[in-house]
Amino acid sequence: MKLEISLKGEAPRKSEVLIGEGLAGDVPRVIRTSLGRRTPYWIWDRNVWALWGEQAEKWGWPAPSSGRVVLFEASESNKRLYRLEELARQLAIAGADRQSALVAVGGGVTGDVVGFLASIYMRGIPHFQVPTTLLAQVDSSIGGKTGVDLPEGKNLLGTFHQPRCIWMSPAFLETLPDVEFRQGMAEVIKTAMIGNEVLWKYIESHAAEIRSRKSEALQWIISACCTVKAKIVEADEKEGGLRRVLNLGHTVGHALERLSDYEIRHGDAVAMGLVAASRLAVKLNMFKQADLDRVVDVLMAWELPVRIPGAFSPEDILEALRTDKKRAGDTLHFILPVRIGEVVDSSDLDFGKLKEVLASLRGESKPDS
Ligand SMILES: NC(=O)c1ccc[n+]([C@@H]2O[C@H](COP(=O)([O-])OP(=O)(O)OC[C@H]3O[C@@H](n4cnc5c(N)ncnc54)[C@H](O)[C@@H]3O)[C@@H](O)[C@H]2O)c1
Ligand SMILES: [Zn+2]
């Protein structure tokens, strides 16, 4: 499948998304076509290189002996500015210049770091993304947001820098641990709730195929998610408004991640956030109880948490939300579902009702309807 993201802004650009297994051997040629005579430097997540490096050489991708492959120890704790400088120095030593380009091979951490580096190396060079986690394929590689963390918070430094091209293959997901796959599924479920009821029904009806990572099923959900995200990014590249809908489940989710000192994984936090947003919407008579039940059932089927651990009080979560609000400016936007496949951006959050919802979700088992 091929998808084109048309970006307007000051300088109209296009970002191309290619999804499919058979294309692996073609990637160096695709890169040459998309980057012209620029020399690509490949920055790989070291873990992914260990699993896929040999295969990649068989596909004709460059080997470390070419001097154009850099291995990056990808982890959230290495998503930091000093690691970016280390990578930049490795590139400079290897001879990368204004006529070079970067290729990121790895999950969301690698994509965010390499995207950021590409946006500032020699005042900006093009880059190409090869996302290898489900989360990166359905979410983080699309849209051009880049960044690194500060001890004070995640993604506080960053840029918008659209990749020229994104190539992804479900084949990479064969080696992805279940826990990582689940994190990606939380974003798939979120995406379906935001803008694609057909995707939602597919997730409900093809759970077994997705779980056993059948290539066709994976390609289907990845394509559907990319299509939803691409449309939103085309309409609002720099998060002026519409793009905020992508934060469904993330307001409460981010608060939980932060309160747990990032012990709670992102997808797990988003799952709890999706239940909180859905339950609040039911309380506000905007969303049907039956749809809330479907949300809880789908999340549970993927072993994603639907209750908030007792250690986090509603007061603490609301306090963390207020901190986020200060950071984002004045208004706290809360995205609420109105039906499966449609959400609204509400800027007059009823804190009292949210507090009741958070209190009702505390515990370990399935929330009562
Ligand atoms: N830019 C955006 O719009 C955006 C959106 C959502 C999330 N993010 C960012 O994405 C990051 C999370 O991404 P992630 O979940 O992909 O994390 P990640 O990059 O840390 O990858 C998760 C783990 O999977 C391993 N891995 C990657 N591909 C693999 C494969 N094919 N087989 C086996 N193991 C593999 C990695 O080495 C790592 O240990 C966060 O830093 C988050 O802030 C960015
Ligand atoms: Zn997310």
Side-chain angles (χ1 to χ4, degrees), residues 143-270:
K145 273 195 190 176
T146 82
V148 295
D149 302 337
L150 290 178
E152 287 69 25
K154 275 181 70 170
N155 299 317
L156 292 190
L157 297 176
T159 53
F160 285 98
H161 193 57
Q162 296 290 344
R164 287 273 175 94
C165 184
I166 304 148
W167 173 73
M168 52 182 101
S169 164
F172 283 115
L173 305 182
E174 277 165 26
T175 55
L176 193 68
D178 284 345
V179 58
E180 299 297 343
F181 192 81
R182 236 173 37 222
Q183 304 307 307
M185 277 311 294
E187 301 286 6
V188 174
I189 293 164
K190 173 204 81 172
T191 307
M193 283 178 76
I194 292 171
N196 192 336
E197 199 187 359
V198 179
L199 169 59
W200 180 273
K201 288 185 177 146
Y202 190 91
I203 300 168
E204 284 180 328
S205 58
H206 290 72
E209 288 94 325
I210 302 170
R211 200 178 299 280
S212 55
R213 308 203 191 166
K214 289 261 170 6
S215 178
E216 239 173 63
L218 294 177
Q219 194 157 320
W220 203 98
I221 58 171
I222 295 165
S223 304
C225 288
C226 290
T227 307
V228 170
K229 187 155 182 190
K231 267 205 202 108
I232 294 170
V233 170
E234 274 186 346
D236 176 21
E237 186 183 0
K238 302 212 168 151
E239 198 154 322
L242 178 66
R243 193 166 170 163
R244 277 194 216 108
V245 299
L246 293 168
N247 288 335
L248 175 67
H250 282 59
T251 314
V252 167
H254 282 152
L256 289 167
E257 279 183 277
R258 209 137 43 77
L259 285 174
S260 73
D261 226 356
Y262 297 97
E263 285 288 308
I264 298 182
R265 306 286 313 261
H266 181 69
D268 289 340
V270 168

Side-chain angles (χ1 to χ4, degrees), residues 7-46:
L7 302 147
K8 296 157 200 98
E10 286 157 25
R13 291 137 297 145
K14 277 197 182 0
S15 197
E16 206 175 38
V17 188
L18 302 169
I19 306 167
E21 263 178 31
L23 300 166
D26 228 18
V27 168
R29 189 193 57 76
V30 172
I31 290 181
R32 265 196 311 279
T33 310
S34 116
L35 299 176
R37 290 164 53 166
R38 292 175 177 273
T39 311
Y41 286 79
W42 297 60
I43 303 182
W44 278 76
D45 172 338
R46 187 183 289 278

